[in-house]
Amino acid sequence: MLMNILAIETSCDDTSVAIVTDGSIILSSIVATQLEHSAYGGVVPEVAAREHIKHIIPVLEEAFRVAEVTWDEIDAIAVTEGPGLIGSLIVGVNTAKTLAYIYNKPLIAVHHTEGHIYANWLKKNLPEVPTFPLVCLTASGGHTNVIYMAKHLNYKIIGETQDDAAGEAYDKVAKMLDLGYPGGPEISKMALLGNKEAYRLPITDLTSAPKRNEEGFLVNPKESLDFSYSGLKTAVLNLIKRVKADNESLTIKQKEDISASFEFTANKIMSRNLARAVKEYKPKTVLLSGGVAANTNLRKQVIEELGDYKVNIFIPDIKCCTDNAAMIAAAAYQHSLIDDYCDAKSLVPDPNLKLI
Ligand code: KG4
Ligand code: ZN
């Protein structure tokens, strides 16, 4: 029997509701993006919460209108439990709890990152689904991880950022260049016209230095799968100061070249770590996920870097990379298959929810 899940995602600044069949076929996926934050160059939590309250019911109605289903055809409700902004999460969780209570539907709580990973199960044209074991790079404004999965819903974090997330670095560099928010798509547009070799930026590597063993020989340690983006951010800040010293403000060409050099470097750190993970863990499949996976250059760089390995690479459609509720429904479907439901009366959002 087909299973229709209605999912709600409000962890940051996108209000989204989706209706998805069997965790893969999108009947509707509505996202109301809050434009109010662009003036501030970042998400203002208080504003985000208020905007979610305004948008949630119209977005819910639109999801039903587009999907052309009724409440009778909904089998379960799913919601992002965390992590995220508490005021934003409360709106989604409370809406989901209320709907589950009124319509007497089972409720499924989903971790936001888990949703990003499962965006790879949302069907495109191919009937193919990712096979295990797999390695997933998940990069967004809040997290940057390499995750190993031996089977569904089984996560082992094998690499993580030690400071900033990749998406945050994109957003901050965009701000330094007076580009809009969110920064990722803006940098990407500028980079298209720039020269990635114009400036050299640090490709951070957290692998420790070789150590001497008992016999006195130098031994290379295991290559690190962790990330660091704060140094790259500072390097761009210093580069801008240096370039600006010659002329008052940056020219468009300079902004394009800085964007291209930054984009290449930020993406190289991710594609290199992914290649290291593939070498070490020998997965059958590699997944990209999270808002940064919408970056066309990252998609290309990863495919190139993994060219020598025998792995299937899955990348969600661009619109499924950034926050959306369809991905939450895709993850929730796997929970439903093992009867992992939660109590609608007691569910509370957790802004610091851990994946494992
Ligand atoms: O997953 P997401 O929508 O929200 C979070 O969970 O954070 O990711 C948003 C992040 C932002 O930092 C945004 O700048 C980045 O993803 N992003 C991109 C692109 N589109 C969105 N970064 C690089 N290139 C893009 N095309
Ligand atoms: Zn996200």
Side-chain angles (χ1 to χ4, degrees):
M1 209 184 71
L2 296 178
M3 168 132 189
N4 288 331
I5 296 182
L6 176 129
I8 300 176
E9 150 65 44
T10 62
S11 64
C12 191
D13 59 340
D14 293 304
T15 315
S16 179
V17 178
I19 300 174
V20 176
T21 303
D22 286 351
S24 67
I25 302 152
I26 301 175
L27 302 185
S28 64
S29 176
I30 312 300
V31 182
T33 301
Q34 303 175 2
L35 303 172
E36 289 71 13
H37 307 282
S38 57
Y40 303 96
V43 178
V44 183
E46 169 77 19
V47 175
R50 286 167 189 257
E51 290 300 309
H52 282 309
I53 288 177
K54 269 197 234 161
H55 293 307
I56 189 76
I57 301 296
V59 169
L60 177 71
E61 285 178 338
E62 184 67 0
F64 273 103
R65 197 189 62 75
V66 173
E68 296 182 337
V69 295
T70 62
W71 270 108
D72 289 344
E73 294 161 273
I74 300 293
D75 301 295
I77 296 172
V79 67
T80 306
E81 179 187 2
L85 301 170
I86 185 63
S88 294
L89 288 166
I90 283 174
V91 180
V93 169
N94 243 17
T95 306
K97 283 168 72 165
T98 309
L99 293 172
Y101 185 71
I102 295 174
Y103 292 102
N104 197 22
K105 306 283 179 190
L107 185 62
I108 303 165
V110 173
H111 189 286
H112 183 74
T113 304
E114 183 170 63
H116 277 303
I117 297 170
Y118 276 94
N120 283 288
W121 273 261
L122 294 169
K123 281 246 176 0
K124 292 187 261 187
N125 305 323
L126 297 168
E128 234 185 310
V129 290
T131 48
F132 297 97
L134 63 84
V135 160
C136 176
L137 168 76
T138 174
S140 76
H143 65 268
T144 305
N145 291 320
V146 185
I147 295 172
Y148 177 83
M149 290 175 73
K151 56 181 182 176
H152 277 299
L153 305 178
N154 185 284
Y155 311 104
K156 181 176 173 196
I157 297 176
I158 55 174
E160 61 192 326
T161 183
Q162 300 300 306
D163 40 57
D164 303 326
E168 200 211 320
Y170 266 95
D171 294 334
K172 292 281 158 59
V173 168
K175 205 171 171 182
M176 293 175 207
L177 294 172
D178 293 322
L179 306 175
Y181 179 85
E186 300 297 324
I187 296 265
S188 217
K189 262 186 261 161
M190 295 295 278
L192 273 180
L193 303 164
N195 170 13
K196 69 177 170 34
E197 275 146 27
Y199 304 105
R200 247 185 84 205
L201 292 164
I203 301 171
T204 334
D205 188 348
L206 294 178
T207 305
S208 43
K211 288 202 179 77
R212 283 195 194 280
N213 66 13
E214 282 160 13
E215 286 99 52
F217 294 115
L218 277 177
V219 181
N220 285 326
K222 206 171 95 173
E223 291 177 320
S224 176
L225 304 180
D226 288 335
F227 303 88
S228 169
Y229 278 104
S230 62
L232 176 57
K233 251 171 42 183
T234 311
V236 175
L237 186 66
N238 290 335
L239 171 66
I240 293 172
K241 278 189 204 150
R242 218 171 51 234
V243 175
K244 263 189 179 168
D246 304 331
N247 52 349
E248 289 279 288
S249 54
L250 295 175
T251 63
I252 301 284
K253 177 76 186 124
Q254 285 167 334
K255 286 190 185 186
E256 288 166 354
D257 285 349
I258 294 173
S259 295
S261 304
F262 164 77
E263 183 183 62
F264 168 78
T265 311
N267 292 350
K268 180 74 190 169
I269 297 168
M270 286 182 269
S271 61
R272 182 212 51 209
N273 281 13
L274 204 44
R276 286 179 175 180
V278 169
K279 214 162 68 178
E280 187 181 341
Y281 287 85
K282 302 185 177 46
K284 286 198 180 124
T285 311
V286 166
L287 311 180
L288 295 195
S289 68
V292 182
N295 186 282
T296 316
N297 178 270
L298 176 68
R299 298 157 87 101
K300 259 197 250 149
Q301 253 174 257
V302 166
I303 291 168
E304 266 170 38
E305 185 111 25
L306 298 185
D308 292 340
Y309 299 94
K310 241 184 100 216
V311 281
N312 268 332
I313 303 173
F314 280 76
I315 311 176
D317 278 348
I318 288 192
K319 63 180 183 325
C320 295
C321 288
T322 44
D323 288 351
N324 67 87
M327 67 186 199
I328 302 301
Y333 178 66
Q334 294 302 327
H335 285 280
S336 77
L337 295 180
I338 54 165
D339 285 333
D340 183 16
Y341 296 102
C342 66
D343 178 14
K345 287 187 190 141
S346 61
L347 179 68
V348 284
D350 180 351
N352 302 311
L353 189 67
K354 295 274 173 280
L355 184 62
I356 42 173

